[in-house]
Amino acid sequence: MESGRLVAPVHSSVRKAPISRISVIGGTGYAGSAIVAEAVSRGHEVTSLSRSLPTDQVPGVRYVQGDASDEAVLTSVIEDADVVVAALAPRGDLTDTFREVNRTIARLAASAGARLFVVGGFSSLRPAPGAPRYVEDLSAVPAELHHEVQSGAALVLEDLPAAPEALDWVFVSPPLQFGSFAPGERTGSYRVGTDVAVVAEGGAISAQDYAIGFVDQIERTDLHRTQVNVAN
């Protein structure tokens, strides 16, 4: 895969990928809600799990209210899925249990024979091939964010590689400017790379463009136990 390659997504009306049952854990968050909307727009069967139900629900989505820390709740939305999307953040109620919850998701996905796609973070990427990952030097990051950054990066550096070999996983990192603090604009295109950060050309990537790239990765068949970077 060529790092930084510009991708103009194929419109859903001419898509060739088969319909999948996709369960999004954290489906009402910033990234999760955009992924839910994009996936259902392409005809996939989408289930969204979240602690609370959204006021504005996307037609065609099955919304489930529950705690991602509850294994029984996770099992109920993972056991029949083809694809599981983990779109949780290492903050709030998950500050201390984020990695444990994601390890449970990985184990259940492996048992269900589902592929796992994880909404990742920027700091696990490298500035150049073979270079140390950004997470290895957090001197420019406020100390109060270190735990969050390190917990997110640990998923792809430690936890996912240690997951059962039967689990097919993909860790999808956004660029540095990604979040409600920098919403960006929908362009309908994106660039994709590996574990080397794609240099953003226009600042932030919107949640919608990240979701387009994310669901495109789900619809591919050549990604296995790897990290990719979706940027603008």
Side-chain angles (χ1 to χ4, degrees), residues 176-194:
L176 178 61
Q177 295 295 316
F178 179 70
S180 57
F181 61 91
E185 297 181 359
R186 181 187 180 104
T187 67
S189 63
Y190 61 91
R191 290 182 301 152
V192 63
T194 55

Side-chain angles (χ1 to χ4, degrees), residues 90 95 98-99 146-155 159:
T95 297
F98 175 78
R99 291 179 65 183
H146 285 191
H147 178 72
E148 178 178 330
V149 170
Q150 291 166 337
S151 295
L155 294 186
D159 299 341

Side-chain angles (χ1 to χ4, degrees), residues 185-228:
E185 297 181 359
R186 181 187 180 104
T187 67
S189 63
Y190 61 91
R191 290 182 301 152
V192 63
T194 55
D195 64 348
V196 176
V198 174
V199 178
E201 294 182 339
I205 189 172
S206 67
Q208 294 87 352
D209 285 349
Y210 175 78
I212 291 171
F214 195 103
V215 178
D216 278 355
Q217 307 317 300
I218 290 176
E219 293 182 346
R220 295 175 61 169
T221 59
D222 61 336
L223 296 176
H224 308 285
R225 297 177 72 92
T226 191
Q227 180 177 16
V228 299

Side-chain angles (χ1 to χ4, degrees), residues 58-212:
V58 179
V61 175
R62 181 172 76 99
Y63 287 94
V64 176
Q65 185 174 9
D67 186 348
S69 300
D70 186 331
E71 184 168 335
V73 171
L74 288 175
T75 299
S76 71
V77 298
I78 290 176
E79 59 186 355
D80 293 324
D82 301 311
V83 174
V84 176
V85 174
L88 301 171
R91 64 179 74 99
D93 293 334
L94 294 180
T95 297
D96 297 322
T97 60
F98 175 78
R99 291 179 65 183
E100 178 184 351
V101 169
N102 276 276
R103 285 192 290 262
T104 300
I105 292 171
R107 173 170 52 81
L108 294 175
S111 296
R115 294 183 299 150
L116 175 63
F117 288 75
V118 180
V119 174
F122 173 81
S123 294
S124 59
L125 296 169
R126 309 174 190 272
R133 297 176 189 264
Y134 291 108
V135 71
E136 296 181 44
D137 180 7
L138 297 180
S139 58
V141 178
E144 61 267 23
L145 297 179
H146 285 191
H147 178 72
E148 178 178 330
V149 170
Q150 291 166 337
S151 295
L155 294 186
V156 70
L157 300 183
E158 300 176 24
D159 299 341
L160 288 171
E165 286 296 326
L167 178 66
D168 213 355
W169 58 264
V170 180
F171 190 85
V172 187
S173 289
L176 178 61
Q177 295 295 316
F178 179 70
S180 57
F181 61 91
E185 297 181 359
R186 181 187 180 104
T187 67
S189 63
Y190 61 91
R191 290 182 301 152
V192 63
T194 55
D195 64 348
V196 176
V198 174
V199 178
E201 294 182 339
I205 189 172
S206 67
Q208 294 87 352
D209 285 349
Y210 175 78
I212 291 171

Side-chain angles (χ1 to χ4, degrees), residues 33-51:
S33 59
I35 293 167
V36 163
E38 178 64 25
V40 78
S41 76
R42 302 190 191 193
H44 294 294
E45 299 176 14
V46 180
T47 295
S48 168
L49 172 67
S50 57
R51 184 178 294 275

